[in-house]
Amino acid sequence: MVHLWFLPCFFTTVILFNFLYNKLGEKITYIIVILMSILYIFIPIPKLFWGIDLSFKYMAFYAVGVSSQKILKKINVNNVNNRNNKASQSIIAIILLIINFCLSYYGLTTGIMWFITAQIGVIGVTISSLIINKNRLLEYLGKISLIILCMHGPIYRIVIKITSVILNINSDIIRTNLFYAVFIVLVTILICSAVYNIVIRTVPWMVGKKNNI
């Protein structure tokens, strides 16, 4: 469950950012966030409980998300998404995502380049979301994303093991073969979806939902 580092880190990041934002205001908060990022890049921070040390690394992205949300609320997506705008936005998004992929693939992500590469990806995904606007499948996957994060590790390992036994294939082949990998991902998502529906009906508070009873 190594991937679950995200949950306490996200918790501390949200708490810290909101505390600064409410107590010190928007401008000073963003200045502090920038200083935290610079501090993380140039000064080694010891590992702390609840991922507080990682909050220095990821606070900048949460701040960008907050500011982006404010900007997007003011944008009329229907006006932005005319045919000409969609074409130019698609080209920009593709270029940004390609740059992001190339920088990551060739390992050009050390120091400040880690933040730059990530922000390029964030902008590319944000533009893509404006183009897509509404998509039921993506909205549903977003809704069950917390369950997928928490449950996918043991589930996909079990699915791989069962698949290897049934097909009499080495599990390493299943992990590296594109067709099998896609199959494993789809089955894992379906199982996580079933788990989400059980949770939402029995213990909705686990995913931040109110009990309807």
Side-chain angles (χ1 to χ4, degrees):
M1 294 292 185
V2 178
H3 57 279
L4 293 182
W5 66 266
F6 172 79
L7 295 179
C9 176
F10 182 67
F11 175 78
T12 54
T13 299
V14 173
I15 295 297
L16 182 56
F17 181 88
N18 288 336
F19 175 80
L20 294 172
Y21 195 93
N22 293 328
K23 295 294 182 181
L24 303 176
E26 183 176 9
K27 291 182 179 179
I28 295 182
T29 298
Y30 283 110
I31 292 172
I32 292 174
V33 167
I34 292 171
L35 292 175
M36 288 174 66
S37 299
I38 294 172
L39 182 67
Y40 185 88
I41 292 171
F42 294 105
I43 300 175
I45 299 176
K47 190 172 182 61
L48 302 172
F49 63 95
W50 288 1
I52 294 175
D53 54 310
L54 294 175
S55 294
F56 282 74
K57 184 177 184 179
Y58 296 107
M59 183 76 75
F61 301 108
Y62 187 79
V64 169
V66 171
S67 58
S68 299
Q69 187 180 38
K70 288 184 177 181
I71 295 170
L72 292 174
K73 282 183 177 179
K74 298 177 182 178
I75 295 176
N76 188 329
V77 178
N78 294 324
N79 293 335
V80 173
N81 279 347
N82 58 53
R83 185 173 298 178
N84 293 330
N85 281 341
K86 272 194 172 182
S88 59
Q89 288 170 5
S90 298
I91 293 171
I92 293 171
I94 290 170
I95 291 172
L96 289 173
L97 293 174
I98 289 174
I99 292 173
N100 174 269
F101 173 81
C102 290
L103 289 172
S104 301
Y105 183 80
Y106 290 105
L108 305 174
T109 55
T110 56
I112 195 169
M113 281 304 299
W114 189 89
F115 288 88
I116 293 173
T117 302
Q119 295 297 356
I120 290 171
V122 168
I123 296 170
V125 170
T126 301
I127 295 172
S128 301
S129 67
L130 281 173
I131 297 169
I132 296 170
N133 191 11
K134 285 187 176 293
N135 182 284
R136 289 185 178 181
L137 176 60
L138 292 178
E139 289 173 3
Y140 179 73
L141 290 175
K143 189 186 296 184
I144 68 172
S145 59
L146 181 60
I147 291 295
I148 293 175
L149 171 68
C150 296
M151 301 293 297
H152 78 276
I155 290 175
Y156 89 81
R157 290 185 180 89
I158 293 171
V159 173
I160 288 174
K161 184 63 178 178
I162 293 173
T163 304
S164 67
V165 170
I166 292 174
L167 300 179
N168 194 25
I169 298 175
N170 189 289
S171 60
D172 291 334
I173 296 175
I174 294 174
R175 292 173 184 273
T176 55
N177 181 279
L178 179 61
F179 173 79
Y180 290 128
V182 171
F183 171 76
I184 297 300
V185 168
L186 291 175
V187 173
T188 301
I189 290 175
L190 287 173
I191 295 172
C192 288
S193 177
V195 172
Y196 172 83
N197 287 309
I198 294 171
V199 169
I200 209 68
R201 286 176 172 79
T202 55
V203 281
W205 53 265
M206 288 184 65
V207 289
K209 302 292 184 182
K210 291 183 178 179
N211 197 328
N212 295 325
I213 298 176

